[in-house]
Each structure stands twice: as C-alpha cells, then as structure tokens.
Amino acid sequence: MSTLKFIVKRLLQSILILFFVMLIIYVLMRCLPSSFIETLAQQKANQPNSKSYEEWMEQLSKSYGYSPENTFGNVFGGFFTWIGNALRGNFGDSWYYTKPVTQVFSETIGISFIMGAISLVLEVIISIPLGIIAARKQYSVTDYTISVIAIACMSLPTFFLIALLKLVFSINLGWFDLIGQVGRNYDQLSSFGKFLDRAHHLVLPIVTLVLISIGSWMRYVRTNMLEVLNADYIRTARAKGLSEHKVIYKHAFRNTLIPLVTFIGGSLPGLFSGALFTETMFSIKGIGYASYYSMVAGDIPFTMFYLAFLAILTLLGNLIADILYAVVDPRVRIS
Amino acid sequence: MADKDKITNNAEEEQQYSLNDDRRVKVLSPGAMVAKRFFRNRMAMVGLIVLIIMFLFSFVGGLVTPYGENQLFYRIDLMQKEYAAAIENTEYRFIKTEGDEFSSIVQAKTQLAINQEAETFEYGGVGYQLNKEGEELYTVALKDGTVIGAAYKMIFSTVDSSVKLDFDTQLAGLRAYANGENGFSASGADYTIDEDGSVNTKDGEPFGYISKYVVQAFMGDVFLTRDFKEAVVEQIDAGADSFVYTGEDGEEHEYGLSFDPDTNKWTIKQETETRVYDKYSPPSKKHWLGTDKNGMDMLTRLMYGGRVSLLIGFIVEFIATFIGIILGGISGYFGGWIDNIIMRIVDIFYCIPSLPIVIILGAAMDHDKVDPKIRMIYLMLILGILGWPGIARMVRGQILSLREQEFMTATEACGLSVSKRIFKHLIPNVIPQLIVSVTMGLGGTILTESSLSFLGLGVRFPFASWGNIINDVNDTYVLQNFWFIWIPAGVLLLLTVLAFNIVGDGLRDAFDPKMKR
C-alpha cells in the first residue's frame, strides 16, 4: 500500500513540476524575438507589390491564432489555452511543417526509438562484461585501459566523433553513405533489400550513439561491481572455497544487477527523446532532427510539444528508477 | 591548507628535531595528504599536465604567435580578367564635311541607297549623288558635285588619339587603302600606306592605321597601344586562342581570345596576378596548421579559440557555483519550508531540457543580430543559470549532514552569526566535493559551449572557439580534403575535456580515499 501511496505522491509532484516547467518554457518562447510569424510577415512584405509588414502581421496573427503583443494577459492566457488544448490531446498544427504536431511526431518518433533501442541494447551488452573485467582486475593495465576509454568516450564531442566516423568509414573506406536514410536505388529494391538498405544506413548513427554513451555505462558497472566485490559476503564466499567464476557470476554480479536494472529502467524513457546531433548530421528524419529545425525556426506549437514531451520523459525516468530500486531490492523501504 | 607551509622544509628546524622520535615519522596535514595522494595518481598527473599545456597554449600562445586573431592572409593568384574587346565593324560609319547637309536622315538614306546599289537618291526635294570610291567606301555629294560626307566600313585611327583627323585626310587614306595605293596626300601632307593598313608620315613616323576591327579596352583607364591592337587583329585573323604579348613597359602577359557569336565580339582576357584570401592553404612553415576558410592562421585561431572556450567554461562554472552555493547553503542550513521551496525550484530546473532551451535562445539571438561580444556574455549567463541546480543539490546534501555534527553545535554555543556559521564553517567543509564537481563540470560546460558554437548558435565569427572552428566540417569538401581545418580543434577539445574529467576523478579519489571509484 505504501508503494502505491509513494507512486501517487510522486506522480502528483511530477505533475506540479511539469506545470511550472511548461510555464517557464512557454513564457520564454513567447517573449523571444525569433517569432516565426514575424519572420514570415517580413518575408511576405518584402515581396514586390505586397501588403505592408503590419498588415501581414495582423493577417498572419489571426490565421495562426497568436497575438504578437506580449502583454501579461496574452502570454498567460495563451499558456492556459495551450495547456487546456494539450490536456485534450490537441497540440495544434506545427507552423514549420504545416502539419498537425501529433502527425509530425508519429512520423518521426519511430526511427528515433529504433536507433535508441538498438544502441541501448548494444551499450548494455558491451559495457557489462567490460565493466566486470575492469573491476575484477582493478589497477591492472586492462583496468586502466578500459577506464581511459570510458572517460574518453564520455569526453568525445558528438559532432567531432561523427565527422571522424564519416571520414574513415564513408570517405576513406566507402562503406557507408555520408548522410541519409536510404540509398540512391532504394525504390528498385525488393522489400528485404529495402530493409537491408535502411539498416545499412543506420549503422554509423548507431555506432555514434553507442560510443558517446557507453563510457558512463562502463564506469557505472565498474563502480558497482567494485563496491560489491569489497563487501564482506564476497570475502566469505571466497573463504568458503568457491571457484572464482562462481564468486563473480553467482554472488557478485547478481548483486550489481540491482543498481544496473535501476539505471536501465531510468534510461528507458530517454529512448524516445531523439538524438539531436546524430540525427541532424546524418540527416535522419527522427524526432531530434524535426525538433531542431522547428526550434531554430521558432515554431511554438511543435517546440512546446517536444519540450513537454522531454520533460515528461525526464520525470518518468526518475520515477521508474525510484520505483524499480524499491522493487528490485527488497531491503529498500520506500518512504 | 595553511598547514602546507609548515612542511616546506625549514632546514634548521629539521635539524633541531631530527633526533626526536616523533619527528622521524613525518606527520602530514590533511591538505598535504590530499596533495600527496593526488600527485601519486599517475593518470591524474597526466591530465594535469595536459591541462597546463592547454592553458599555456591558449593564454600564452596568443602572445607568442606572430599573427593576430583576425589577421587575414592573402596569396597571389593568376586570374584571367577581361581586358579588352574587339569588334569587327560590319556597319557603315559616316563622316561629314563642315556644314550640316549630311544629317542623320540623309545618312540613313545613304545606307539604303548603298544596299540598293543605287547611284542617286532623293530626300526632302534635294537630290544626292552616291559615288563609289572603293570597296565599301562611298562619298555622298549634292547634285552640283559638292561632297558632303562619306560612308565607310574600314576605320582609320591615329596613333596619337588626341589628333583629330579631318575629313579630307580620312577620306584620302581610306580611298588609298581601298584601292591598294601605297601613298596619298591630303591637307598639305604626304603619307605612305602599306598593305597592312599602317599609315606613316613621309618621314617614316607612324601616323595611324586602317583596319576593320575596333579594339576597345574593357576598363576606361587602360590605354591600348596601337601595337597591341595590331597584335590582337593579327591573332584574330590567325584564329589563335591565346597569345603572349610584351607591352611597352617590357611586361609579358598572356592573353586569351574568345569569340562570342551572339554579339560578334572577341573578348581579350589578360592573365593578371590578383590578391585573394589565402583560404584552406595546407600546413607550411609560415602557417603550421594552414589557414581557414577566411584566410586566417589556423594555429593562432586555435589559441584564441582555446582562450574563449576555457574562459567561458570557467565563468559559467563560477556563475553556477556561486548561485548553487548560496541557494544550496540556505536550503540546507534552514531546512523547513525554505528548503522545500528551493528544492522544488531545483526540481523544476532539473526538468528543463537545457540543450533545446539554449538552442532556442541562440536562434533568437541570431534573429536579433546580437553583437558577437554581447552574445558571448548572454551565453555564459544562460549556461550558468541552467547549471546551478546540480551544485545546489550537492551543497544542500552535504550541509544537511554536516549541520548535525558537533562542531556546528559548538559554533552555535559560541554565538556566531548565522552567515558566519554558514559561510565560514559549513561551506569550507563542502569545498572538496565542490572542487571535484566543478572540475568535472568544466569539461561538460566546454562540451556544451562547443556543441552550440558548432551549430552556429554559440560563439560567433569574429571570435574563435574550438566549436565554431570545427563547424567548417559541415562542408563535405572540407571534411574530405582539409583535415587540418577540423581535426586539430577536435583533438584539443577532446584532450581538454578528457583532462578535466581525469583530474576531477583524481581529485575525488584524493579527497576521499574510501570512496575510491
């Protein structure tokens, strides 16, 4: 019962936080000068034989349902209208894409999720053995190598990594296309060929995603494994004369799973958030790509939707991590 | 930390106590212990050395390098510039004697008569007579035989362009050339003429020439010599594409000839040396890492870029730490509803997606065309304000546990003021963790700043930053061909962030050996 109470309490708290986050973001978006409508009005007014900027402004404001003056009532009224519509699932039309926001979202989220999911699986598969090896041979050359690689991956600027990967694999070796989701002859391929072509174009982006986040995974596994290996019950297990293999995989590893599962659970919502740099630099039309261009253009409906979505994902991640922590480890009492 | 001074070896003191038993075992202060542990950590030392090199490179390098941050370099390039044009004259031109009888309408009638091969024509009740003087050369006379003008296609130009030819000389010259004579005399002077159309005075001085080509300079201030014009005509007749001509000043230039059938015109292009920005020049002795797309020295740009990146990192971390310590300190010390409110604010800030927000703000500044310098200040403020919650949370957690310890009860018993208790007794105890998190945070901040600059939303052009230097890689041609544009900046960035992370790790281990990784 207490678990349920805890969850409800956390949910209510999250909703309150979400409300304020959205309020801040909305006010920020409204008060910024990069208004989509102003830019559009300027463009239209600059065309020959056109109406004046003011007239365009008036007309466009009306058709976009947005008043340009940032009075207190306008901004806050706008925010409550937005929230009211959002609660009913109506996020409006994206100005930049000229499509309903939810449609843009459903068109782009799939590829982002696939990339995120595959790279998460790869990260877990690669980092767990490496982390365990590093912890078992603490202070050895292997340990130092793995640790340095982990920190190096954490310190890699994404854009630099992508440029390097492109130089080596696309230009020098010619294995992959520089950008894009499908090859040139995609339309002539059989359905299986199309699948392979799409997969082929996702290789470099996924390698990028794995490399930039694998560092923190390896460190996390290693730290937790070290903690467990220093515990008394491991000494007992060794004293009992158990084989090293059994000590590590039966006693130590199972206990490191507790924080690990929590960590994985907490990062699940992040799979939907998209990868801004990777998607834009490989020009993969996922949610990160879509959001970047709408943000730069000042497309309020889509940006608001995306940021709300991100905020919810963050809150959800924390919540899942907390709950899992209690569920997986019976010693933890939720308070 | 002040205890460190005590261990700096004072030789006399050392001798005085050297036989004493408890002096034989060196007792180290906590600060010295931390330093010792840190300096023993090889990886951290490597990181520290890398950081020192980066600082020297960025802050001292800028002073040592012979070039300025925005100094442009040029190189001399050979370019074909339009120099002159030659037109073959296919229309009749007209000259008239003194008097106005040969008006433009009469000229048009003359043209008509020539086309119809008529010998007389009439206009306005006046009769005119057309006399053929030679190939494509006619004179027009009134009925009484007074010559009023002439129509011709060959053009008689003088060497000295200030000399104006009078009608008689021109007509006589053209007539002589058309009829293949080798001399003529007009207006009291004798001239010789050769088959090329060169006209000399009887002393042998060049006077003018007759040709059906008009050669004009492309630029108004260029004077084309007669010799050059003749050379051009010669080359056109020979059907050449290009030729070399040595001017009067002894300078040899190469010229290209091209014919445009639409305008019936030859264009003469002169190959000239032009100063252009020395862009993307490969590494050389003068520019160790080549030059960038604006023709600036890459190595110098990297130095100034490092300065910007490091400075922004430090200032952002300073702002974040400043706000974080104050809010976290207040929150942890007072607890209760103050704590509750501040922590909820922290929760909200934690939840704001910071990269999108900075991108949106960057785009807004783009739209407003904010001055690059002010933009940099805004950027620091934004990143700092988005960065404080983590530090506030950590400070609060530390203070919550420190608050309950006995030394705090002692400060209360001594009657110290609240601000003194917080900032003199609590905060100093948080400093180790603070140093660690700031060091690690510096790496992160530098990464964020460079990412933004890479997107073109952070530090802007006149200023260099490692991020905006790499920005050029978006051009596939640069990615493919000019490694020296983007790889050095990327490596510097990677090394710096890596070094900050490693040093941060080392510091954490040194401060708290129990927590060792």
Side-chain angles (χ1 to χ4, degrees):
Chain A
M1 211 47 220
S2 72
T3 316
L4 193 67
K5 209 171 151 192
F6 167 78
I7 294 175
V8 170
K9 195 180 152 200
R10 281 293 304 268
L11 268 179
L12 288 176
Q13 229 171 31
S14 302
I15 288 170
L16 199 67
I17 291 174
L18 190 64
F19 174 81
F20 282 107
V21 168
M22 290 330 291
L23 180 64
I24 292 174
I25 294 174
Y26 188 83
V27 171
L28 206 66
M29 288 291 297
R30 281 296 297 261
C31 298
L32 286 180
S34 77
S35 161
F36 183 83
I37 292 175
E38 281 163 40
T39 316
L40 196 65
Q42 214 130 42
Q43 272 174 13
K44 297 219 170 205
N46 279 342
Q47 280 166 1
N49 306 324
S50 172
K51 288 189 270 189
S52 73
Y53 171 72
E54 282 76 21
E55 279 173 289
W56 268 118
M57 206 52 207
E58 203 177 316
Q59 187 193 331
L60 289 172
S61 308
K62 222 176 252 168
S63 60
Y64 279 100
Y66 163 94
S67 40
E69 289 86 31
N70 287 319
T71 59
F72 186 82
N74 260 348
V75 173
F76 284 85
F79 175 64
F80 284 107
T81 323
W82 180 82
I83 263 210
N85 284 331
L87 283 178
R88 270 174 260 139
N90 172 18
F91 288 94
D93 296 338
S94 159
W95 296 346
Y96 182 69
Y97 297 102
T98 58
K99 278 187 227 173
V101 166
T102 40
Q103 192 192 332
V104 178
F105 173 72
S106 58
E107 279 168 8
T108 53
I109 190 71
I111 188 92
S112 289
F113 176 71
I114 290 171
M115 274 167 48
I118 295 175
S119 46
L120 181 67
V121 171
L122 288 177
E123 280 154 25
V124 172
I125 291 176
I126 298 171
S127 62
I128 288 181
L130 287 179
I132 291 176
I133 291 173
R136 274 180 65 188
K137 302 183 177 168
Q138 201 186 1
Y139 303 132
S140 70
V141 179
T142 327
D143 178 30
Y144 274 115
T145 317
I146 290 177
S147 300
V148 169
I149 291 175
I151 298 190
C153 286
M154 288 166 73
S155 316
L156 257 180
T158 317
F159 50 92
F160 182 55
L161 173 67
I162 294 175
L164 280 178
L165 287 176
K166 279 182 173 182
L167 181 70
V168 174
F169 294 103
S170 300
I171 292 173
N172 287 349
L173 295 175
W175 291 354
F176 303 101
D177 284 356
L178 271 176
I179 50 167
Q181 274 167 270
V182 291
R184 222 169 286 153
N185 51 352
Y186 180 73
D187 289 328
Q188 282 110 54
L189 293 172
S190 64
S191 57
F192 184 65
K194 280 184 182 177
F195 171 76
L196 279 187
D197 189 48
R198 281 181 169 270
H200 184 240
H201 282 85
L202 283 185
V203 172
L204 277 191
I206 287 177
V207 168
T208 311
L209 289 181
V210 169
L211 279 180
I212 50 175
S213 45
I214 203 166
S216 51
W217 281 93
M218 289 203 285
R219 273 166 71 94
Y220 192 76
V221 173
R222 181 178 173 277
T223 313
N224 283 302
M225 193 70 188
L226 273 182
E227 213 164 275
V228 173
L229 283 178
N230 289 330
D232 290 341
Y233 59 85
I234 296 295
R235 198 190 307 153
T236 314
R238 286 208 175 106
K240 239 172 24 172
L242 288 183
S243 70
E244 187 64 15
H245 187 267
K246 226 170 188 179
V247 171
I248 300 292
Y249 291 100
K250 195 149 184 212
H251 294 262
F253 178 61
R254 286 198 180 177
N255 277 295
T256 55
L257 276 179
I258 296 173
L260 219 58
V261 167
T262 322
F263 201 48
I264 295 174
S267 55
L268 280 181
L271 296 182
F272 293 94
S273 61
L276 195 142
F277 278 95
T278 315
E279 286 175 16
T280 45
M281 281 185 76
F282 282 110
S283 124
I284 286 172
K285 297 186 174 53
I287 186 91
Y289 180 93
S291 65
Y292 174 68
Y293 287 102
S294 73
M295 282 190 291
V296 174
D299 173 359
I300 294 183
F302 191 80
T303 309
M304 280 302 286
F305 169 78
Y306 179 64
L307 294 185
F309 182 63
L310 280 189
I312 291 172
L313 290 180
T314 314
L315 290 169
L316 209 61
N318 291 343
L319 193 64
I320 291 176
D322 283 356
I323 295 171
L324 272 182
Y325 195 48
V327 173
V328 178
D329 190 350
R331 286 170 301 182
V332 176
R333 285 273 143 263
I334 282 176
S335 53
Chain B
M1 293 283 189
D3 295 353
K4 241 189 200 172
D5 300 339
K6 283 185 195 159
I7 34 162
T8 36
N9 293 339
N10 189 324
E12 274 180 33
E13 231 173 285
E14 192 75 12
Q15 234 169 13
Q16 195 184 339
Y17 290 114
S18 61
L19 293 175
N20 201 330
D21 254 8
D22 50 81
R23 279 287 155 184
R24 221 174 281 161
V25 183
K26 227 179 186 176
V27 179
L28 292 179
S29 70
M33 289 285 282
V34 168
K36 200 176 151 194
R37 277 199 295 267
F38 180 74
F39 287 125
R40 267 199 196 149
N41 185 339
R42 258 192 237 153
M43 244 166 73
M45 284 316 289
V46 172
L48 192 65
I49 291 169
V50 170
L51 278 188
I52 291 172
I53 293 173
M54 287 301 164
F55 272 85
L56 289 180
F57 176 77
S58 308
F59 289 93
V60 181
L63 306 173
V64 174
T65 169
Y67 309 127
E69 183 182 3
N70 299 325
Q71 189 179 343
L72 294 168
F73 293 90
Y74 301 91
R75 70 166 163 243
I76 307 292
D77 235 8
L78 279 179
M79 269 171 78
Q80 289 221 324
K81 266 193 180 168
E82 288 197 349
Y83 183 67
I87 306 170
E88 183 182 356
N89 188 34
T90 52
E91 310 265 302
Y92 277 99
R93 299 185 169 213
F94 303 95
I95 39 168
K96 56 188 179 184
T97 54
E98 289 94 51
D100 291 332
E101 286 101 337
F102 200 40
S103 65
S104 55
I105 300 171
V106 180
Q107 289 176 6
K109 289 278 174 195
T110 311
Q111 174 88 59
L112 216 60
I114 292 171
N115 292 348
Q116 291 164 352
E117 295 177 11
E119 292 197 341
T120 54
F121 61 95
E122 252 183 53
Y123 170 69
V126 185
Y128 296 93
Q129 185 125 23
L130 192 64
N131 306 318
K132 185 162 182 170
E133 302 279 343
E135 189 68 24
E136 294 177 334
L137 178 67
Y138 298 87
T139 50
V140 179
L142 294 174
K143 275 277 181 256
D144 58 0
T146 329
V147 174
I148 55 162
Y152 59 95
K153 272 193 183 171
M154 299 302 261
I155 294 156
F156 190 172
S157 1
T158 48
V159 171
D160 182 357
S161 59
S162 63
V163 172
K164 201 152 174 6
L165 283 174
D166 59 29
F167 178 81
D168 288 340
T169 315
Q170 198 158 352
L171 182 61
L174 288 171
R175 188 188 289 142
Y177 182 70
N179 299 331
E181 292 159 18
N182 50 14
F184 64 94
S185 56
S187 306
D190 293 328
Y191 303 96
T192 58
I193 186 166
D194 65 15
E195 355 176 302
D196 292 339
S198 298
V199 179
N200 296 335
T201 57
K202 67 170 188 259
D203 312 332
E205 297 255 333
F207 175 73
Y209 56 97
I210 295 169
S211 156
K212 66 175 171 181
Y213 291 101
V214 187
V215 182
Q216 278 170 330
F218 195 74
M219 301 282 275
D221 57 345
V222 175
F223 173 71
L224 296 179
T225 58
R226 147 102 207 282
D227 201 31
F228 177 76
K229 287 180 181 172
E230 272 184 2
V232 169
V233 171
E234 205 174 290
Q235 296 297 333
I236 289 174
D237 287 342
D241 283 341
S242 64
F243 62 99
V244 176
Y245 176 77
T246 314
E248 282 177 336
D249 48 0
E251 266 188 65
E252 198 169 278
H253 285 292
E254 201 179 319
Y255 297 89
L257 261 178
S258 58
F259 179 68
D260 180 2
D262 283 347
T263 52
N264 217 8
K265 194 171 166 185
W266 277 271
T267 310
I268 298 121
K269 285 187 173 164
Q270 187 185 36
E271 217 158 65
T272 46
E273 292 175 337
T274 319
R275 250 160 62 103
V276 291
Y277 291 131
D278 190 11
K279 31 167 136 168
Y280 297 136
S281 79
S284 60
K285 250 187 196 152
K286 198 172 156 215
H287 304 293
W288 289 1
L289 282 176
T291 53
D292 67 1
K293 70 170 168 199
N294 302 308
M296 298 175 184
D297 182 59
M298 192 38 106
L299 191 65
T300 311
R301 289 294 280 178
L302 283 177
M303 288 167 179
Y304 282 94
R307 205 179 271 196
V308 167
S309 290
L310 289 171
L311 264 184
I312 289 186
F314 273 102
I315 293 173
V316 166
E317 279 304 304
F318 176 79
I319 296 171
T321 315
F322 186 76
I323 305 177
I325 287 180
I326 289 183
L327 288 181
I330 292 172
S331 177
Y333 183 81
F334 291 106
W337 63 271
I338 297 178
D339 179 33
N340 225 329
I341 288 177
I342 293 178
M343 280 306 110
R344 291 298 80 78
I345 295 175
V346 167
D347 282 341
I348 290 171
F349 267 83
Y350 242 89
C351 199
I352 292 179
S354 51
L355 188 64
I357 290 289
V358 191
I359 289 177
I360 292 168
L361 290 170
M365 284 194 269
D366 255 10
H367 184 269
D368 249 16
K369 297 188 179 61
V370 177
D371 178 68
K373 203 168 203 168
I374 296 168
R375 203 186 158 100
M376 226 145 75
I377 296 170
Y378 280 149
L379 183 71
M380 292 187 254
L381 284 177
I382 295 166
L383 290 178
I385 287 169
L386 286 171
W388 66 269
I391 289 172
R393 199 175 257 185
M394 189 206 74
V395 170
R396 169 185 173 265
Q398 286 291 315
I399 284 182
L400 273 183
S401 70
L402 288 170
R403 196 174 60 167
E404 306 302 326
Q405 289 183 14
E406 276 123 5
F407 74 94
M408 284 315 292
T409 324
T411 57
E412 206 171 349
C414 291
L416 294 181
S417 69
V418 172
S419 68
K420 210 167 185 185
R421 283 211 300 258
I422 296 182
F423 294 108
K424 209 102 201 232
H425 293 273
L426 282 176
I427 299 291
N429 277 298
V430 187
I431 284 202
Q433 275 84 355
L434 218 53
I435 292 177
V436 173
S437 79
V438 166
T439 316
M440 305 272 243
L442 271 170
T445 309
I446 291 174
L447 264 188
T448 314
E449 179 272 322
S450 64
S451 304
L452 282 170
S453 304
F454 174 77
L455 290 176
L457 299 169
V459 178
R460 288 303 279 275
F461 166 62
F463 296 100
S465 128
W466 287 340
N468 72 17
I469 290 172
I470 307 179
N471 181 287
D472 267 8
V473 89
N474 280 332
D475 183 349
T476 313
Y477 190 70
V478 174
L479 172 69
Q480 221 162 337
N481 297 304
F482 305 122
W483 62 270
F484 52 87
I485 298 290
W486 57 280
I487 290 200
V491 170
L492 287 177
L493 192 57
L494 172 63
L495 280 181
T496 309
V497 179
L498 188 64
F500 271 121
N501 281 336
I502 289 178
V503 169
D505 257 12
L507 280 174
R508 190 181 51 202
D509 292 348
F511 277 125
D512 192 354
K514 277 172 293 174
M515 279 281 289
K516 186 141 188 161
R517 288 187 268 181

